[in-house]
């Protein structure tokens, strides 16, 4: 049995040059995205990332308690406005970086490939290449998807590729098509190719591949031929010193080995930020202790000298409420123990 998009079997079936037969499996399209955000996810992702930094949580907390009437000895905007400015500047920087990613993705997805339709090759965008398509790649062009090599301009179906984008190696690697397909040198020859591929499931291993080409007639006849990494050309590689190749797409888009090795743009949490988070917890504990002790001292002094403080018109019987309000007031007074400039310094 062939497996579909749910990966319900141990292999996948790819009908060669037959889009209609492959459509039933609902394989992934060849459009890729390396961007961190989209229109819907920007705000929640950005806010989650920013408030995973405890400094931002502290300043938001301080800004909120400054809004409580009768608690803040300073203006209610002295913390919330600087925090909003810092977050806005960070958001602008994140947006600028992600717009560059979107532009790069768009350019790549719009790159053109030559796809066999009937017995002629037509120009199509990379995003429109699907599993099973027979494509032509020419010298110095990038491989648009993970391909199984059929034939090339070189003798015995050989070709040379550069994989520096995949593994950092600059030396050229030799690939070779099966002897049975190496003689298919024209679109008319390729149009006679009948059969399917049985291949491994999509994975991130750059150096392994298992599969079988099953011919169902045509010039090759009825036979099965084993496939190995020698026949596989990975997306991201560059064709070198070879005029052209013909190959079949087996993995596209985010199922290619390149994309399965490329993790999504992560939420950046550096070791410096982790250390800073721990130190801010420690500083907040000190600040809270100072605020409690100060509020306690204020409460004791007030209760002892109430007769001399009549001009303050202190309410009677609200000791607990006053104590809590004093704690919040002292937190605001001592909030410079964790300076907001710390965030700006870390962002820069």
């Amino acid at each position: 049995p062939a497996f579909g998009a749910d990966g319900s079997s141990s292999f996948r079936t790819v009908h060669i040059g037959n889009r209609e037969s492959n459509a039933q499996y609902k394989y992934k399209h060849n459009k890729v995205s390396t961007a961190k955000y989209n229109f819907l996810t920007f705000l929640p992702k950005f806010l989650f990332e920013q408030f995973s930094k405890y400094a931002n949580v502290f300043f938001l907390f301080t800004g909120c308690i400054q809004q409580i009437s009768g608690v803040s000895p300073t203006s209610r905007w002295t913390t919330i406005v600087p925090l909003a400015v810092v977050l806005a500047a960070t958001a602008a920087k994140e947006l600028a970086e992600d717009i560059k990613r979107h532009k790069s993705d768009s350019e790549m997805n719009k790159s053109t490939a030559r796809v066999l339709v009937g017995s002629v090759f037509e120009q199509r965008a990379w995003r429109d290449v699907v599993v099973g398509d027979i494509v032509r790649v020419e010298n110095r062009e990038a491989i648009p998807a993970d391909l199984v090599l059929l034939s090339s301009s070189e003798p015995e179906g050989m070709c040379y590729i550069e994989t520096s984008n995949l593994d950092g190696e600059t030396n050229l690697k030799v690939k070779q098509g099966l002897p049975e397909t190496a003689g298919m040198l024209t679109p008319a020859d390729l149009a006679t190719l009948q059969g399917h591929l049985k291949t491994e499931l999509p994975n991130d291993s750059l150096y392994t591949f298992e599969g079988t080409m099953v011919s169902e007639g045509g010039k090759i006849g009825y036979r099965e031929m084993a496939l190995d990494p020698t026949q596989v050309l990975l997306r991201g590689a560059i064709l070198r010193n070879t005029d052209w190749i013909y190959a079949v797409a087996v993995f596209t888009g985010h199922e290619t080995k390149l994309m399965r090795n490329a993790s999504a743009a992560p939420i950046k949490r550096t070791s410096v930020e982790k250390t800073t988070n721990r130190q801010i917890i420690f500083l907040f504990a000190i600040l809270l202790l100072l605020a409690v002790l100060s509020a306690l001292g204020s409460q004791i002094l007030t209760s002892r000298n109430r007769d001399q403080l009549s001009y303050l018109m202190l309410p009677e019987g609200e000791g607990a409420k006053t104590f809590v309000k004093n704690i919040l007031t002292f937190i605001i007074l001592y909030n410079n123990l964790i300076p907001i400039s710390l965030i700006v310094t870390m962002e820069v």
Side-chain angles (χ1 to χ4, degrees):
F3 97 107
D6 60 351
S8 57
S9 182
S10 59
F11 65 90
R12 78 189 308 178
T13 296
V14 177
H15 297 277
I16 301 172
N18 191 332
R19 287 192 167 203
E20 293 73 21
S21 297
N22 289 321
Q24 62 182 304
Y25 306 127
K26 298 180 180 178
Y27 296 133
K28 286 190 179 293
H29 53 71
N30 203 35
K31 184 178 180 180
V32 299
S33 173
T34 59
K36 188 175 180 180
Y37 309 105
N38 60 38
F39 180 76
L40 294 176
T41 63
F42 174 73
L43 195 59
K45 272 190 174 181
F46 173 75
L47 291 177
F48 176 78
E49 178 178 352
Q50 293 306 308
F51 288 104
S52 65
K53 302 171 184 176
Y54 295 165
N56 286 341
V57 175
F58 169 74
F59 294 122
L60 179 64
F61 169 71
T62 303
C64 287
I65 62 177
Q66 280 181 325
Q67 309 308 307
I68 302 173
S69 178
V71 168
S72 177
T74 60
S75 168
R76 62 175 56 186
W77 309 115
T78 54
T79 300
I80 206 76
V81 169
L83 177 62
V85 170
V86 170
L87 291 179
T90 306
K93 185 184 76 170
E94 288 283 310
L95 274 175
E97 291 177 356
D98 215 52
I99 287 170
K100 290 179 183 178
R101 294 191 194 102
H102 278 286
K103 286 183 178 178
S104 176
D105 291 340
S106 179
E107 289 174 3
M108 182 174 292
N109 290 325
K110 289 178 182 176
S111 300
T112 56
R114 301 165 193 82
V115 177
L116 186 68
V117 179
S119 58
V120 295
F121 281 96
E122 294 183 358
Q123 295 270 1
R124 293 196 177 170
W126 276 25
R127 61 171 176 252
D128 298 324
V129 174
V130 301
V131 171
D133 279 351
I134 297 176
V135 300
R136 174 186 171 111
V137 181
E138 297 187 354
N139 190 32
R140 297 182 181 277
E141 290 183 346
I143 307 297
D146 287 356
L147 310 176
V148 168
L149 179 63
L150 297 174
S151 59
S152 75
S153 60
E154 300 300 303
E156 301 178 357
M158 297 178 67
C159 72
Y160 304 91
I161 61 168
E162 179 187 321
T163 61
S164 57
N165 291 338
L166 296 166
D167 54 19
E169 295 183 14
T170 55
N171 56 307
L172 300 184
K173 294 183 174 62
V174 180
K175 300 290 182 178
Q176 185 172 13
L178 293 171
E180 291 82 358
T181 62
M184 295 184 167
L185 304 178
T186 66
D189 291 338
L190 296 170
T192 67
L193 186 58
Q194 301 174 26
H196 63 272
L197 306 175
K198 288 183 178 180
T199 74
E200 63 187 16
L201 302 185
N203 60 73
D204 59 4
S205 176
L206 297 176
Y207 305 108
T208 62
F209 183 82
E210 294 180 1
T212 305
M213 179 181 288
V214 181
S215 176
E216 300 168 349
K219 294 178 67 173
I220 300 177
Y222 293 86
R223 59 192 305 179
E224 290 191 11
M225 298 150 282
L227 299 171
D228 59 45
T230 308
Q231 286 85 47
V232 178
L233 309 174
L234 301 182
R235 179 184 177 123
I238 307 292
L239 186 66
R240 299 288 188 190
N241 301 340
T242 308
D243 291 338
W244 51 261
I245 60 162
Y246 297 137
V248 182
V250 288
F251 302 129
T252 51
H254 286 274
E255 289 186 336
T256 60
K257 292 179 183 288
L258 171 67
M259 294 308 297
R260 291 182 74 90
N261 275 281
S263 57
I267 290 177
K268 299 174 184 175
R269 203 167 285 159
T270 63
S271 58
V272 173
E273 285 182 1
K274 291 176 182 176
T275 302
T276 304
N277 279 348
R278 289 194 296 269
Q279 291 174 345
I280 285 173
I281 292 174
F282 177 69
L283 289 173
F284 182 73
I286 293 175
L287 187 151
L288 193 59
L289 178 63
L290 288 173
V292 170
L293 292 176
S294 297
L296 188 62
S298 174
Q299 200 79 353
I300 292 170
L301 285 173
T302 301
S303 62
R304 285 183 177 178
N305 303 291
R306 180 172 289 275
D307 295 340
Q308 301 173 30
L309 302 175
S310 57
Y311 60 91
L312 294 178
M313 293 183 289
L314 298 172
E316 294 286 345
E318 294 187 2
K321 181 180 177 181
T322 304
F323 179 66
V324 172
K325 287 180 69 174
N326 284 342
I327 290 176
L328 297 178
T329 299
F330 282 114
I331 286 175
I332 294 169
L333 284 172
Y334 298 151
N335 79 85
N336 284 335
L337 193 64
I338 305 173
I340 198 166
S341 58
L342 173 69
I343 307 178
V344 179
T345 304
M346 289 181 65
E347 287 296 330
V348 173

